[in-house]
């Protein structure tokens, strides 16, 4: 999400767009201050997008992946590409259609969500 994307998201003005922008402001600050990059990625929303929309996947591989549990690397994903690696246990998405993902994201947050129905007489 470039700074222009972030401003466009905020300008949509729906409750979901405002929420999406506000919740990621800290990420944008972190990316700028720690990585020196203008903008940020959205790995969880991308994962949620490709589940129902596999057409967004542009590059993928079958791989054996494990999660480190040691102190220094705890929680990091380890992709084992050795010839002796165990059989692949997941599909690793390497690249998605960025423009397609952003269209989906912006279209989704543009929709107005109706207020929940109230239950008359319940207390």
């Amino acid at each position: 999400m470039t700074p222009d994307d972030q401003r466009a998201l905020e300008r949509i003005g729906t409750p979901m767009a405002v929420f999406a922008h506000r919740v990621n402001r800290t990420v944008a600050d972190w990316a700028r201050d720690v990585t020196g990059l203008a903008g940020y990625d959205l790995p969880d929303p991308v994962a949620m997008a490709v589940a129902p929309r596999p057409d967004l996947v542009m590059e993928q591989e079958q791989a054996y992946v494990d999660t480190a549990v040691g102190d220094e690397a705890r929680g990091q994903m380890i992709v084992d590409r050795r010839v002796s690696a165990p059989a692949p246990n997941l599909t690793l998405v390497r690249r998605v259609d960025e423009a397609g993902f952003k269209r989906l994201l912006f279209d989704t947050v543009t929709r107005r969500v109706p207020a929940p129905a109230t239950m008359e007489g319940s207390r």
Side-chain angles (χ1 to χ4, degrees), residues 97-114:
D97 174 1
E98 181 180 342
F101 167 74
K102 287 179 182 177
R103 270 192 309 276
L104 177 61
L105 173 66
F106 280 55
D107 289 349
T108 300
V109 299
T110 298
R111 293 188 205 123
R112 297 220 177 254
V113 178

Side-chain angles (χ1 to χ4, degrees), residues 1 34 48 60 63 71 101 116-117:
M1 295 287 287
V34 175
M48 294 300 295
Q60 65 185 14
D71 289 336
F101 167 74

Side-chain angles (χ1 to χ4, degrees), residues 7-22 105-114:
R7 285 187 291 277
L9 182 63
E10 184 178 31
R11 280 193 306 271
I12 291 171
T14 62
M16 287 301 296
V18 170
F19 172 78
H21 173 71
R22 288 182 65 203
L105 173 66
F106 280 55
D107 289 349
T108 300
V109 299
T110 298
R111 293 188 205 123
R112 297 220 177 254
V113 178

Side-chain angles (χ1 to χ4, degrees), residues 47-88:
M48 294 300 295
V50 301
R53 291 279 312 276
D55 58 297
L56 292 173
V57 176
M58 299 182 75
E59 183 182 335
Q60 65 185 14
E61 69 177 279
Q62 299 300 309
Y64 178 80
V65 175
D66 201 357
T67 304
V69 294
D71 289 336
E72 291 209 17
R74 187 173 192 83
Q76 292 184 32
M77 183 174 77
I78 301 168
V79 180
D80 192 343
R81 292 187 179 93
R82 296 174 299 167
V83 174
S84 62

